[in-house]
């Protein structure tokens, strides 16, 4: 495949280094990659969104160059550079461990290690503060991430700085976020956009990030509370049941929901 990016021509071959639900990733240098969308996703709206995100990258990076975010940086064209030949975009190549790999493990009572990184309670809390700061800066640029989950957040091993990836899914201007993760999204989100689309806002980002960070620090999501009669964590989330609320307001609040706290080692470990 021949790509033109920022006036440079690249022969990326036909073997991607990775693939996902929306496209394939090709190496264009040691530090950069190109994401090429599948043919059926190369719509007019998707091309317009790529251009909007690339513009946002230029504005954001001029003010916050020290933040590590895998922004779409430049449109990737197949063949000549024209709107209809936009097939994807270039971005920085990170590839650091995700917090899904580095989070706290309830069974061992310590954080997991990967690529030389292992958090302590103190460094993990500092990482969470830094992560919220990055998202707050994105919000100040009117960028809503939407699809926040532990697989989209990496940790730079040296400075242990948060790295945000998969930013092309973000909601920006009139362009929606096409994906979401049910385990982490705000219950207000689902279906608000109509026709199966999701409409996110700053609050839904904060909710999702709170759930992600709780899981990173504790080892399970906050809605994984064992109750009687038993409920799945998705049911708990939909009904406002969480370990945070249980310990903040007392276990008696569960009675109003027709359930009760289940004394078990799993709940004891989460509370500890």
């Amino acid at each position: 495949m021949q790509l033109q990016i920022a006036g440079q021509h690249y022969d990326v071959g036909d073997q991607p280094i990775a693939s996902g639900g929306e496209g394939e990733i090709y190496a264009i240098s040691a530090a950069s990659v190109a994401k090429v969308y599948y043919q059926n996703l190369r719509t007019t709206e998707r091309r317009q969104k790529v251009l909007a995100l690339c513009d946002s990258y230029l504005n954001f990076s001029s003010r916050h160059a020290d933040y590590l975010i895998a922004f779409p940086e430049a449109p990737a064209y197949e063949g000549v550079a024209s709107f209809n030949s936009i097939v994807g975009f270039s971005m920085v190549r990170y590839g650091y461990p995700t917090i899904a790999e580095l989070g706290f493990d309830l069974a061992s009572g310590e954080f997991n290690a990967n690529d030389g990184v292992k958090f302590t309670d103190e460094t993990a809390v500092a990482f969470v503060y830094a992560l919220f700061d990055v998202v707050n800066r994105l919000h100040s640029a009117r960028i809503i991430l939407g699809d926040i989950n532990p697989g989209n957040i990496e940790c730079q091993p040296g400075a242990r700085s948060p790295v945000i990836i998969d930013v092309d899914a973000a909601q920006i201007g009139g362009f929606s976020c096409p994906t979401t993760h049910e385990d982490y999204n705000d219950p207000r989100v689902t279906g608000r956009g109509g026709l199966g689309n999701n409409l996110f806002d700053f609050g839904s980002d904060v909710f999702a990030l709170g759930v992600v960070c709780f899981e990173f620090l504790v080892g399970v999501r906050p809605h994984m509370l064992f109750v009687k009669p038993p409920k799945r964590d998705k049911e708990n989330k939909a009904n406002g049941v969480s370990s945070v609320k249980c310990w903040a307001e007392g276990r008696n609040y569960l009675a109003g929901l027709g359930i009760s706290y289940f004394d078990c080692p799993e709940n004891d470990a989460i509370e500890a």
Side-chain angles (χ1 to χ4, degrees):
M1 182 186 299
Q2 301 286 334
L3 296 178
Q4 185 179 162
I5 302 171
Q8 299 293 315
H9 294 269
Y10 301 91
D11 184 355
V12 298
D14 57 3
Q15 295 298 318
I17 60 175
S19 59
E22 292 190 324
E24 298 173 324
I25 306 297
Y26 294 87
I28 57 175
S29 73
S32 300
V33 296
K35 179 173 181 177
V36 176
Y37 290 113
Y38 296 128
Q39 183 71 44
N40 65 309
L41 297 179
R42 300 174 194 173
T43 62
T44 296
E45 182 176 0
R46 182 61 61 105
R47 291 181 172 117
Q48 291 173 333
K49 185 176 181 180
V50 166
L51 295 176
L53 284 166
C54 290
D55 285 342
S56 290
Y57 162 72
L58 294 174
N59 294 330
F60 188 90
S61 61
S62 66
R63 300 191 305 273
H64 308 295
D66 53 332
Y67 285 90
L68 306 178
I69 303 172
F71 259 113
E73 296 185 357
Y77 305 94
E78 186 173 20
V80 298
S82 69
F83 178 78
N84 288 328
S85 66
I86 295 174
V87 295
F89 56 87
S90 63
M91 61 182 174
V92 174
R93 183 178 190 170
Y94 288 116
Y96 298 131
T98 67
I99 62 171
E101 303 167 299
L102 297 170
F104 190 80
D105 179 60
L106 269 177
S108 65
E110 58 184 8
F111 286 88
N112 291 310
N114 189 293
D115 198 20
V117 179
K118 185 173 183 178
F119 283 97
T120 63
D121 288 350
E122 291 76 15
T123 58
V125 170
F127 181 88
V128 166
Y129 273 95
L131 181 55
F132 269 92
D133 181 55
V134 174
V135 173
N136 184 57
R137 299 297 177 120
L138 287 168
H139 286 176
S140 69
R142 314 304 294 177
I143 297 170
I144 298 170
L145 288 172
D147 184 25
I148 295 179
N149 67 78
N152 287 348
I153 301 168
E154 298 180 348
C155 174
Q156 184 192 41
R160 298 195 181 179
S161 300
V163 180
I164 309 293
I165 63 173
D166 286 349
V167 179
D168 63 299
Q171 180 176 293
I172 177 172
F175 301 104
S176 64
C177 173
T179 58
T180 186
H181 202 302
E182 188 178 355
D183 289 333
Y184 304 97
N185 69 356
D186 187 330
R188 299 177 303 125
V189 167
T190 303
R192 284 196 300 162
L195 300 177
N197 295 322
N198 295 300
L199 185 61
F200 298 88
D201 56 31
F202 298 138
S204 62
D205 266 7
V206 171
F207 181 98
L209 194 58
V211 176
V212 165
C213 290
F214 185 96
E215 183 177 32
F216 168 62
L217 293 171
V218 179
V220 296
R221 292 184 292 276
H223 307 101
M224 183 61 73
L225 181 71
F226 294 91
V227 296
K228 298 184 293 185
K231 304 287 184 182
R232 299 176 62 185
D233 59 333
K234 292 176 182 178
E235 293 178 272
N236 283 342
K237 180 158 75 83
N239 293 317
V241 176
S242 74
S243 53
V244 177
K245 190 171 183 179
C246 187
W247 297 315
E249 298 188 7
R251 299 173 182 175
N252 290 336
Y253 97 93
L254 296 171
L257 301 173
I259 56 178
S260 62
Y261 185 87
F262 181 51
D263 284 305
C264 63
E266 291 82 359
N267 275 346
D268 291 343
I270 295 169
E271 185 170 11

